[in-house]
Amino acid sequence: MQLTILPLGPFATNCFLLFMPEKSELFIIDPGAEAETIIAEAEKFPFKSARILLTHAHIDHISAAGEVAAKLHIPKVELAPADHEMYHSKANALPPYFEAAADLPEVSGFDPINHCTVIDLPGHTPGGSGFLFDDGQEKFLISGDTIFCGSIGRTDLYGGNYAALIKSITENLLTLPDDLTVYPGHGGETTIGFEKKHNPYLN
């Protein structure tokens, strides 16, 4: 697996490009802004097929999806069904930084993903998801905005629920191995063990 992380847009939202050489497949996760940068980086990989996966539907994680999908001939994006209403909503905006997205691709639930387990992580949004990749050699989690290094996702935004967020983290993340690397939707990487010991919201 080859992972590239691009912090993009006014909130430095992490867009992940994960290339799977085994099937020449490219996953673009959370194309939130700067479509041209994402496309240019994607075209460096010798992929035969590409897919867009979304950890959740907040506008700063989806706004470049339409342009990226059109340029790379990706027919749809994949997102947990509980966030589909938000994905289409005109209220899903953060002016003056992001207006509601236009020309978004069709959306579906998740198709099977090679070497990946999708983890349900409601709380930051109803359909928040994490992607646990494991090809037998490398293993890491892309957590969206559920947890950050030393912090947790906001719940005062569209679709947030604090109790659900803490339940997701406690039951679905902190039960994972301590040495598991976690790549959040903003900021740098962390590990499950570090968050257990040092995250002030979890102690």
Side-chain angles (χ1 to χ4, degrees):
M1 297 187 290
Q2 300 176 38
L3 181 66
T4 299
I5 305 172
L6 304 172
L8 301 173
F11 304 140
T13 303
N14 289 329
C15 175
F16 302 90
L17 277 66
L18 180 61
F19 179 62
M20 300 284 206
E22 178 184 323
K23 292 190 175 181
S24 298
E25 190 169 31
L26 179 66
F27 295 102
I28 301 168
I29 302 171
D30 289 359
E34 301 182 41
E36 291 182 0
T37 300
I38 297 170
I39 293 164
E41 197 67 32
E43 289 177 338
K44 295 177 182 179
F45 295 99
F47 65 89
K48 293 179 181 177
S49 64
R51 294 164 65 179
I52 294 176
L53 311 178
L54 301 176
T55 61
H56 64 292
H58 278 156
I59 188 63
D60 61 315
H61 289 252
I62 71 170
S63 69
E67 191 174 344
V68 171
K71 180 66 176 181
L72 300 181
H73 309 291
I74 302 171
K76 65 178 184 177
V77 302
E78 298 171 50
L79 171 70
D83 267 12
H84 286 192
E85 180 181 351
M86 183 185 302
Y87 178 81
H88 291 295
S89 174
K90 295 301 181 186
N92 188 19
L94 288 169
Y97 306 105
F98 289 98
E99 300 301 326
D103 302 320
L104 286 172
E106 185 178 323
V107 63
S108 77
F110 296 112
D111 294 330
I113 305 169
N114 198 33
H115 300 308
C116 179
T117 300
V118 179
I119 301 175
D120 292 333
L121 297 173
H124 181 64
T125 66
S129 303
F131 305 117
L132 179 60
F133 287 95
D134 183 0
D135 67 355
Q137 296 181 327
E138 294 181 82
K139 186 174 183 178
F140 55 83
L141 173 72
I142 293 175
S143 66
D145 287 2
T146 298
I147 194 168
F148 305 112
C149 183
S151 189
I152 60 174
R154 293 174 60 174
T155 54
D156 59 337
L157 300 174
Y158 188 178
N161 182 308
Y162 181 79
L165 180 72
I166 294 299
K167 187 171 191 265
S168 290
I169 294 170
T170 302
E171 296 183 2
N172 298 339
L173 294 186
L174 299 188
T175 53
L176 296 171
D178 282 357
D179 62 353
L180 180 67
T181 298
V182 179
Y183 295 108
H186 304 266
E189 67 188 73
T190 185
T191 65
I192 295 296
F194 181 89
E195 298 311 311
K196 281 182 180 178
K197 291 181 180 178
H198 302 292
N199 193 314
Y201 296 92
L202 306 177
N203 292 290

